[in-house]
Amino acid sequence: MGLSLPRLDLRAQWPADQCAGRFGLATSSKISLREELTSPVFGSFSIFKDEDIEQDDLRSARTPWAVLPPPSIEPITDSFRCEVLVVGAGITGALVAERLSRQGRQVVIIDREVPSLGSTVASTAMLLWEIDRPLFQLTELYGFEKAVRCYHASHQAARGLRALVAQYGVACHMRPRLSLYLAADDSPNLIQDEYSVRSRADLPSLLLGHAELLQRFAIARAGAILSRDAADADPVLLTRGLLDLSLKRGARLLKANAVAYDGTASSVTVGLEDGFSIEARHVVLATGYVMPDIVRPTAQQPASSWAIATAPQADNLWPGQALIWEATQNYHYARTTFDGRIIFGGEDDHGLIQPDARDAATPTKVRVLKERLTALWPRTSSHVAFTWSGAFDTTRDGLPLIGAVPGSKNIFAAFGYGGNGITFSLLAAELIGSLLSGGSSPLLDDFAFDRDVSG
């Protein structure tokens, strides 16, 4: 089946003269903490382990997204073989399954709980192409060529996601949006440095000073970068719509708990909790913030994040309803919804990982979020209708973890961590789809699980 999407240039080559010197958001199957998480320091392996973690451990219960009946999930009654097994039926697994089923592959998706109700339902679904690590900082870390390659790939992925939804009419309240990257204090220097590098990289951005920002958006900050090609959506509807596309093409959605992976032969054998097994030519892990033991990234840090959603207040929204986020490491962010709510989030905390500790901190975190929202947008209503929190993961360089799992044959993984996790998940689907068809890309080295981030 053909699809008119903006083509991702997975080679991402750049001329020599250009070369120099936020939730997110995939669901897992049934997931519980058996061991204490280690100190949350970059470089140490500190992550939810794939052991009896419940979906409720990943996020609190109430969010503003659609409440849908559970999809029809077949039980597994015997061992079997398939071409591609996708483990995890959240937004990342749904995007991977859509891409591979569109290629005509025989796809089986498994999850041990209800699809889209893990981390996916906690996502604020701000579909940005801008990466948590600013381009000028990523350039300092890796050089201009690699940094720009990653940014352009993310930009193409954001555009591709919108095109995918439009092409297939996925009903998920997706809306094209501008994004505003706000100066976090009275100094516009960081914004100006970032804009300078983006201009050199030919990224679609415009620098706004204080006066123009105030005039166009009624926001009083020292400055901002205004960018196009962002979007927002309902992540639950998006996930279910993409799963439906795959199922209509012949994919199967099964309830199963994968407990063991053997990737030493030409095919992968996945052992299930009930004693059955699945033999697959390729396995794609899309398990979100819960990783099997075979995956041990070196540049990852878990955290918790909080968000609030106001009651509908269509008359109190900022002009254009752009996506808003701040030019600082632990930034706050804001978006609106199709029914006129304001979602405001942040207050990330790397020390509050356990679900009980996260829940205990929620009243204080919510109070701070309300104060921050009022400071950003004084016109907002004080009536908060939803408050929630969720597990969140970042990487030291702000880039996702995508590609082959080191030490395992034919096992690939898609972990779109960071503030633009859904965009990274689309990129993961494209890269893995190309990889399974014999393609390659320098992006696979850029996003490798064992990449060196010592800089």
Side-chain angles (χ1 to χ4, degrees):
M1 182 179 294
L3 176 61
S4 303
L5 295 181
R7 192 67 182 167
L8 289 181
D9 183 3
L10 301 180
R11 299 168 300 167
Q13 300 296 322
W14 293 93
D17 62 354
Q18 288 188 335
C19 300
R22 199 44 207 99
F23 291 120
L25 311 165
T27 190
S28 163
S29 328
K30 180 178 177 183
I31 49 185
S32 116
L33 287 173
R34 185 181 69 173
E35 60 186 22
E36 290 292 323
L37 297 174
T38 62
S39 174
V41 177
F42 282 123
S44 67
F45 187 68
S46 175
I47 186 62
F48 290 103
K49 297 305 294 172
D50 191 0
E51 305 255 355
D52 300 328
I53 298 173
E54 304 290 344
Q55 286 182 326
D56 287 351
D57 291 337
L58 290 178
R59 60 6 179 213
S60 50
R62 298 187 68 240
T63 71
W65 309 126
V67 178
L68 302 175
S72 176
I73 305 179
E74 304 175 48
I76 290 180
T77 58
D78 203 352
S79 300
F80 64 89
R81 296 177 178 176
C82 64
E83 182 182 6
V84 181
L85 177 66
V86 178
V87 184
I91 183 59
T92 304
L95 281 163
V96 170
E98 188 285 322
R99 180 68 175 87
L100 299 182
S101 65
R102 183 163 22 107
Q103 287 182 333
R105 298 185 182 276
Q106 179 199 27
V107 176
V108 173
I109 314 147
I110 63 172
D111 204 308
R112 53 188 169 187
E113 293 208 41
V114 180
S116 78
L117 295 188
S119 297
T120 296
V121 75
S123 170
T124 51
M126 292 175 59
L127 309 178
L128 296 162
W129 54 264
E130 296 152 295
I131 297 169
D132 281 354
R133 179 68 73 111
L135 180 58
F136 83 90
Q137 290 184 357
L138 203 59
T139 297
E140 292 172 352
L141 184 63
Y142 290 133
F144 183 78
E145 180 181 10
K146 177 175 176 177
V148 173
R149 178 169 63 234
C150 295
Y151 259 77
H152 273 274
S154 184
H155 180 221
Q156 291 182 62
R159 295 178 64 239
L161 183 58
R162 286 175 52 194
L164 174 66
V165 168
Q167 178 74 19
Y168 288 107
V170 179
C172 60
H173 303 305
M174 181 171 285
R175 307 175 301 173
R177 285 289 174 261
L178 299 171
S179 74
L180 269 178
Y181 187 46
L182 295 179
D185 51 34
D186 292 336
S187 172
N189 293 343
L190 189 151
I191 291 292
Q192 292 170 347
D193 290 347
E194 177 68 2
Y195 178 72
S196 177
V197 184
R198 288 194 194 184
S199 297
R200 184 181 170 202
D202 196 27
L203 289 164
S205 300
L206 176 68
L207 183 64
L208 303 180
H210 169 78
E212 190 172 6
L213 177 62
L214 190 61
Q215 179 183 17
R216 292 187 61 172
F217 295 97
I219 293 176
R221 290 288 180 94
I225 297 176
L226 179 65
S227 302
R228 67 172 188 268
D229 295 332
D232 56 27
D234 181 319
V236 173
L237 290 175
L238 176 59
T239 301
R240 295 290 187 89
L242 292 168
L243 288 174
D244 285 346
L245 281 176
S246 300
L247 297 177
K248 289 175 181 176
R249 296 173 186 149
R252 299 174 65 196
L253 177 59
L254 306 175
K255 186 176 181 64
N257 181 15
V259 295
Y261 299 84
D262 182 358
T264 59
S266 58
S267 60
V268 182
T269 299
V270 178
L272 306 180
E273 186 179 46
D274 56 13
F276 298 128
S277 64
I278 302 172
E279 183 181 337
R281 186 177 304 172
H282 308 286
V283 170
V284 182
L285 304 175
T287 55
Y289 302 130
V290 183
M291 286 187 176
D293 287 337
I294 61 171
V295 183
R296 299 187 67 85
T298 58
Q300 190 177 17
Q301 184 178 30
S304 293
S305 191
W306 285 260
I308 60 176
T310 69
Q313 47 177 316
D315 295 334
N316 291 334
L317 307 179
W318 51 90
Q321 300 180 46
L323 308 183
I324 297 173
W325 60 305
E326 295 177 317
T328 185
Q329 181 176 357
N330 293 317
Y331 58 85
H332 294 88
Y333 52 88
R335 60 159 287 192
T336 63
T337 65
F338 79 101
D339 58 350
R341 302 178 190 274
I342 296 174
I343 293 177
F344 190 81
E347 290 301 299
D348 297 357
D349 197 317
H350 298 290
L352 296 176
I353 308 300
Q354 299 279 7
D356 290 346
R358 189 179 67 222
D359 291 345
T362 293
T364 298
K365 296 287 189 179
V366 167
R367 176 179 53 79
V368 174
L369 288 175
K370 291 170 69 174
E371 293 171 353
R372 297 279 190 175
L373 172 56
T374 300
L376 172 70
W377 189 245
R379 304 178 194 177
T380 186
S381 163
S382 61
H383 182 195
V384 171
F386 296 92
T387 65
W388 71 100
S389 63
F392 184 67
D393 252 352
T394 59
T395 56
R396 182 174 181 178
D397 54 11
L399 300 179
L401 302 168
I402 299 170
V405 174
S408 298
K409 285 184 180 180
N410 298 316
I411 301 181
F412 308 90
F415 297 110
Y417 294 158
N420 50 343
I422 294 178
T423 304
F424 281 156
S425 293
L426 186 283
L427 181 54
E430 293 288 338
L431 284 168
I432 292 173
S434 175
L435 193 60
L436 267 55
S437 297
S440 184
S441 169
L443 292 167
L444 292 168
D445 291 326
D446 300 340
F447 304 151
F449 285 75
D450 52 0
R451 64 181 180 266
D452 180 10
V453 293
S454 58

